[in-house]
Amino acid sequence: MSEQLQVAVVGGGIGGLTAALALRARGLDVTVFEQAGELREIGAGISIHPNAALLLQRIGLTDPIKTIGTPITGLRLRTSLGEVIDTALRPSSGVQSYNVHRAEILKLLADAQPDGTLRLDHCLSRARETNGGVQLTFAHGATIEADLVIGADGIHSVVQREIGLKTYPSSEGIMAYRGLIPSERLSWAKDIGGKMSMWLGKGRSFLCYPVSSGRSINMVAFVPTNLESDESWTAPGDLKALAAEYAGWDDPVLETIGALDQTFRWGVYDRAPLSYWSTSRMTLLGDAAHPMVPHLGQGAAQAIEDGFTLAVLLEGAKRQDVPRLLKAYERLRLERTGQIQTMARDTGRFFRAEYEDVAERDRLAAKWMAANAWIRGHDAEKTAQEALALLVTTRRSDEAPDFRNW
Ligand SMILES: Cc1cc2nc3c(=O)[nH]c(=O)nc-3n(C[C@H](O)[C@H](O)[C@H](O)COP(=O)(O)OP(=O)(O)OC[C@H]3O[C@@H](n4cnc5c(N)ncnc54)[C@H](O)[C@@H]3O)c2cc1C
């Protein structure tokens, strides 16, 4: 039997595909199994903040991302009437961040997978640990064996269920509309360069930023809802209902809504942080492990951090090391991602408020900037390398050391 670990990644989203690249870069044999017959992402943007951009840079993806991304040059916060809130949010680590179109980054990651290592049309239905491995069964009946399985299968994760976890969606009581508008249709977008714009108001917020090298503006509008909207990202939205939500807001908001051809809406949910997410040979990453509301733009970034952490820990590992390494991974990632899940909710509350007390608003803005600096300044690979060194020095123990108080 080959000594190289055979890793099965379930889910070919941003998290799974990036993890596969990071793991292969450290010599592991990885296959990605994706349920869809073709990779598709809905038309919407995503920010690659410095903590993720740094890691992608290390596997040679900066140049390809430059060709599809718009460098982020700042974020301007405004009140619903357009008054600028001075936050001066600046890059925290010197690493350039980008806004990209989701479909474009997904294609880029898929194209970077070696031939035969991304298996489409493979919907996982069952995962069972065997003696020293895992057997995966797919909906069409095929089975495969792997030394370990990484569930990168999103918010409705089958791997999570097979690990024995049960989680329940928790609504923020808000719904989001999303859409893309050609930049040339928007008079206010002419001179924005790479700037993101966010308007804050009572119970609502409105975010715009350029994607596709500036050709399109991505808009996300968060509004209150009593609807039990599902977690779909693609349900069609009503443009008139959207416009009514923002009546009386700043002109660029109204102009943006007026320029939309269509919009999609989705219910914003997360799940309470898990207390564990691994067995001996199965673990989770990304939304399968720690789904978060999108107000910090960190969901994919945290999935990317997970993948690189796993890659550092698993490099050169033997089969018998897998259970303790997965435990170490979980301990390294649980607290940080749990904190970010909470911060993302707090950020949403900060964005969806109208402040009569400007000092209170500025206090919250400063708190939010500090949270961002902490999140974006993190180097997940370096942290994992330091943890691994500690793990090696405590090798005789069956238990991985507790990294939580680092
Ligand atoms: C509006 C919005 C804006 C966002 N903005 C940002 C942002 O700016 N920055 C950021 O970092 N994050 C952002 N996020 C969050 C981010 O998109 C998600 O956290 C991220 O996509 C999660 O990636 P993932 O790979 O874990 O899961 P997913 O992208 O959900 O991928 C899961 C994959 O698994 C596949 N799959 C599911 N079940 C099975 C199965 N049984 N068998 C095989 N395959 C399966 C699915 O088809 C899918 O391809 C945003 C999210 C939203 C909704």
Side-chain angles (χ1 to χ4, degrees):
M1 214 194 268
S2 141
E3 260 309 305
Q4 201 181 25
L5 286 181
Q6 315 267 313
V7 183
V9 174
V10 179
I14 294 173
L17 293 177
T18 312
L21 295 174
L23 288 157
R24 269 190 223 106
R26 288 182 180 269
L28 288 111
D29 181 348
V30 190
T31 308
V32 181
F33 297 94
E34 163 59 41
Q35 66 179 358
E38 62 179 299
L39 288 184
R40 258 195 313 228
E41 267 286 357
I42 39 170
I46 190 162
S47 304
I48 308 288
H49 289 303
N51 51 316
L54 172 77
L55 301 173
L56 298 178
Q57 182 176 306
R58 294 195 184 134
I59 52 168
L61 290 183
T62 303
D63 285 342
I65 287 176
K66 271 187 198 160
T67 65
I68 60 164
T70 311
I72 300 176
T73 54
L75 168 66
R76 194 174 288 152
L77 286 190
R78 292 189 184 86
T79 66
S80 60
L81 297 178
E83 181 204 341
V84 173
I85 303 170
D86 183 18
T87 54
L89 183 67
R90 293 187 186 89
S92 45
S93 61
V95 178
Q96 180 61 57
S97 50
Y98 293 89
N99 282 322
V100 295
H101 190 298
R102 295 181 70 96
E104 291 172 5
I105 181 101
L106 198 72
K107 179 172 182 328
L108 190 153
L109 294 171
D111 288 351
Q113 309 292 322
D115 284 350
T117 61
L118 170 57
R119 307 249 186 100
L120 301 176
D121 261 326
H122 276 71
C123 178
L124 181 78
S125 49
R126 221 179 69 172
R128 288 286 175 274
E129 286 199 17
T130 56
N131 196 11
V134 187
Q135 184 181 62
L136 297 181
T137 306
F138 296 93
H140 45 45
T143 59
I144 67 114
E145 303 273 343
D147 293 314
L148 74 127
V149 170
I150 299 172
D153 48 346
I155 195 154
H156 301 293
S157 170
V158 170
V159 180
Q160 188 196 83
R161 183 196 72 202
E162 295 296 274
I163 283 176
L165 294 159
K166 193 153 180 55
T167 60
Y168 300 93
S170 150
S171 169
E172 269 199 305
I174 60 162
M175 169 172 93
Y177 288 92
R178 303 202 292 171
L180 283 170
I181 306 115
S183 305
E184 78 254 8
R185 284 193 201 165
L186 298 172
S187 62
W188 66 266
K190 280 197 182 65
D191 306 316
I192 57 162
K195 273 217 164 57
M196 302 173 78
S197 298
M198 168 71 96
W199 287 263
L200 320 187
K202 198 170 180 188
R204 290 160 184 73
S205 60
F206 196 89
L207 172 68
C208 285
Y209 57 81
V211 294
S212 300
S213 307
R215 292 188 303 281
S216 303
I217 297 292
N218 178 62
M219 101 69 234
V220 193
F222 295 100
V223 304
T225 181
N226 296 322
L227 293 177
E228 272 308 305
S229 40
D230 60 24
E231 287 167 274
S232 160
W233 291 2
T234 51
D238 179 350
L239 286 172
K240 280 202 185 121
L242 171 60
E245 294 283 354
Y246 291 90
W249 280 48
D250 196 16
D251 286 346
V253 172
L254 305 184
E255 187 189 347
T256 306
I257 296 172
L260 281 164
D261 290 327
Q262 59 179 343
T263 177
F264 298 96
R265 64 176 174 80
W266 90 107
V268 178
Y269 292 83
D270 59 9
R271 284 168 163 77
L274 295 168
S275 55
Y276 75 100
W277 65 49
S278 306
T279 60
S280 297
R281 300 202 169 259
M282 294 198 271
T283 193
L284 303 174
L285 66 69
D287 280 7
H290 41 69
M292 54 188 72
V293 291
H295 312 297
L296 282 168
Q298 278 291 327
Q302 290 309 307
I304 291 169
E305 286 191 5
D306 291 339
F308 278 80
T309 302
L310 276 167
V312 168
L313 295 177
L314 291 169
E315 182 176 13
K318 300 200 167 21
R319 285 185 186 84
Q320 64 268 27
D321 293 333
V322 169
R324 56 195 261 110
L325 291 169
L326 293 190
K327 212 21 110 187
Y329 158 68
E330 182 186 290
R331 288 196 180 181
L332 260 180
R333 297 296 299 156
L334 258 171
E335 181 164 341
R336 174 168 166 82
T337 54
Q339 280 177 317
I340 296 173
Q341 282 175 293
T342 306
M343 286 174 180
R345 279 210 171 212
D346 291 346
T347 297
R349 277 192 284 272
F350 163 56
F351 286 162
R352 295 189 308 276
E354 202 161 56
Y355 298 92
E356 280 169 19
D357 180 349
V358 173
E360 171 64 0
R361 182 192 73 192
D362 292 350
R363 189 186 69 76
L364 290 172
K367 203 172 152 199
W368 169 70
M369 284 191 294
N372 264 307
W374 176 75
I375 294 168
R376 296 175 186 195
H378 187 70
D379 183 339
E381 248 187 355
K382 187 162 161 267
T383 304
Q385 276 154 356
E386 288 165 3
L388 188 63
L390 188 59
L391 192 62
V392 169
T393 62
T394 57
R395 202 155 197 127
R396 262 169 291 156
S397 156
D398 275 337
E399 269 294 297
D402 188 343
F403 303 116
R404 278 170 299 184
N405 294 323
W406 278 28

